[in-house]
Amino acid sequence: MSSRKVTVKWGKKVFEIEIGESLGEIQAQLYSLTQVPVERQKILARGRQLKKDKDLSKIKPGAKLMMMGTAEVLAAPTKEYVFEEDLTAKQKAELTKEDVAGLNNLGNTCYMNSTVQCLRRIDELKGAINKFRDDPSASSDAHSTMVKLMGDMFNKLDVAAEPFTPIAFVNIFRTLFPQFAQRGESGHYMQQDADDCLMTFLQVVGSKLSSPKYSLSESSQDKNLTQQLFGFRVRETLKLMEGEEEEKIKELTMQKLRCHIDEKINFLVQGVEKSLDEVVEVKSSTLGRNANYKQSTRLLSLPKYLVVQFVRFYWKKSQGKKCKMLRKVKFPHKLDVESFCESSLRKSIGARRMADKAKRDKELGLDSLKVEKKAKIEPTTSKDEQAMEIDTSIQPADTTGFYQLFGVVTHKGRDADAGHYIGWVHQKDDDWSKYDDEKVSPCKEEDITNLCGGGDWHTAYMCYYKRIDTMPVERPKKKGKK
């Protein structure tokens, strides 16, 4: 017999159900509707109790049944459960002890919010700004006020249990630099460039924290703070490509490296090396006209913090606007900058690495094993082994030439004047935080690696690295991964 619809009255409630040839199915339906256990159910049809499946054969469509029985009383839960998405930022901070200090967006300020989250991980910067903020003799002009408000913002973010609204800082920033206060046709604030924002921040902080009392060390008192943290010297060489002419050499100071991108660039190191060796057009005194020169730039010093910008935005004449290059370019968590350096600095870095290696081998007792093995196998020293010996005539560098990634600013979207910026900052070990304006969420190192581009996903635009002054210890590889 096919299924048919009937009504079942239970107390003051009436339910419409479908019945077939199984009494057990009816009992299950009624239990789900009434919470009356099967053993307590007494189902009646025309005054007679239904006890077996064959009793259902006499029931016609539209029949009225009645059920008697008492529902189960559900015990109240002993614990109150709250889902994470229902927690306020303050509750989440208290329960999880996570860094939830996000910044509220004040009209397309994601470019600034993401930059601030990376900069506040630089302890030396925060310490010097706080010293300036608490200095009664510090100037009180608008630029000084901006630096002091930046310090206030850093401090509040460090202890905040809920998102912070930096309205005072944003207002003075837009007042001092009107290009960041531009509005579109709709009247809303326009999107800006995170790189322009960073360079403006460094310019203002550097101009105000130039006194020796804000210096990080006595040997660097002739430089402002941002130069001490981000600045590095380079040697730029121009060589004429069309004839004989004396090379033009000059030394400059820079605060970031650029990663150029084209169809052949797959890795950050390739892109930086391309930016350091370019062909430029300059007026030649020999030829009396503009000519092509090979411009080679090499680092003479290494900054404490290194910023690398991916040159992803370019002007597309056919569309009359800046567009974005989406190509996938992988970036390392541990960056080796030796290939970017001038020859003498490269040798100095090499000497430092060899000295560190020899020291570690000695601590582990490997040096005696090597000497013993060498004496047994080959009593004489080969040319290759001589080359591996530390050259005592070269002064080892005060750093290893390695940098560790601690922050990334990404851009999502295809338009340079639109899209969305997010900051990603390292916390400890494999743990990172994703700063999407006021929303902060935990993530892992693997998530950061996937920010290399290749589509419309969040794509690395600015990488923040910290110099490693001791030889880094290699992490053990995870099992199961080749």
Side-chain angles (χ1 to χ4, degrees), residues 223-350:
K223 301 178 182 177
N224 65 51
L225 180 71
T226 55
Q227 282 294 90
Q228 294 177 46
L229 293 175
F230 299 93
F232 54 95
R233 294 181 298 109
V234 300
R235 177 174 293 151
E236 184 182 279
T237 304
L238 285 174
K239 185 176 181 180
L240 182 64
M241 301 177 65
E242 301 179 38
E244 295 295 329
E245 185 178 276
E246 184 179 354
E247 291 183 345
K248 301 177 181 179
I249 301 175
K250 61 180 178 179
E251 292 189 7
L252 306 169
T253 300
M254 299 173 65
Q255 290 186 333
K256 69 176 181 181
L257 290 176
R258 293 183 177 181
C259 174
H260 286 187
I261 302 174
D262 60 25
E263 66 280 358
K264 295 181 180 180
I265 300 298
N266 298 308
F267 301 95
L268 176 144
V269 172
Q270 292 177 321
V272 173
E273 289 177 344
K274 181 178 178 63
S275 72
L276 296 177
D277 288 305
E278 298 182 282
V279 175
V280 297
E281 188 176 289
V282 180
K283 178 144 186 201
S284 168
S285 58
T286 303
L287 301 177
R289 58 175 173 80
N290 288 348
N292 288 334
Y293 283 78
K294 181 180 179 181
Q295 178 178 282
S296 297
T297 306
R298 295 294 181 268
L299 278 63
L300 297 173
S301 63
L302 299 180
K304 193 170 185 65
Y305 293 92
L306 178 64
V307 178
V308 181
Q309 177 202 8
F310 291 84
V311 186
R312 290 193 173 275
F313 300 129
Y314 64 99
W315 181 259
K316 196 166 186 177
K317 190 175 181 180
S318 60
Q319 296 184 13
K321 65 176 183 179
K322 287 171 68 178
C323 295
K324 180 180 175 182
M325 189 170 291
L326 301 174
R327 183 176 179 80
K328 184 176 183 179
V329 180
K330 296 181 180 180
F331 54 91
H333 287 262
K334 185 181 73 176
L335 174 64
D336 184 354
V337 301
E338 184 183 9
S339 63
F340 309 155
C341 300
E342 187 264 342
S343 59
S344 61
L345 180 55
R346 293 183 66 174
K347 291 178 182 178
S348 184
I349 290 172

Side-chain angles (χ1 to χ4, degrees), residues 371-428:
V371 171
E372 183 180 350
K373 183 178 179 181
K374 179 180 176 182
K376 288 181 179 180
I377 298 177
E378 189 176 354
T380 59
T381 305
S382 67
K383 292 183 179 180
D384 291 338
E385 288 173 332
Q386 289 177 352
M388 291 296 289
E389 296 292 334
I390 299 175
D391 188 347
T392 56
S393 65
I394 299 177
Q395 181 67 29
D398 57 358
T399 183
T400 63
F402 287 105
Y403 283 80
Q404 186 65 45
L405 183 72
F406 74 90
V408 180
V409 171
T410 59
H411 179 269
K412 183 179 181 181
R414 293 174 178 260
D415 193 341
D417 297 324
H420 183 57
Y421 287 96
I422 288 180
W424 312 71
V425 180
H426 180 245
Q427 301 297 337
K428 63 177 182 178

Side-chain angles (χ1 to χ4, degrees), residues 215 217-222:
S215 179
S217 64
E218 293 183 1
S219 60
S220 301
Q221 290 186 358
D222 59 329

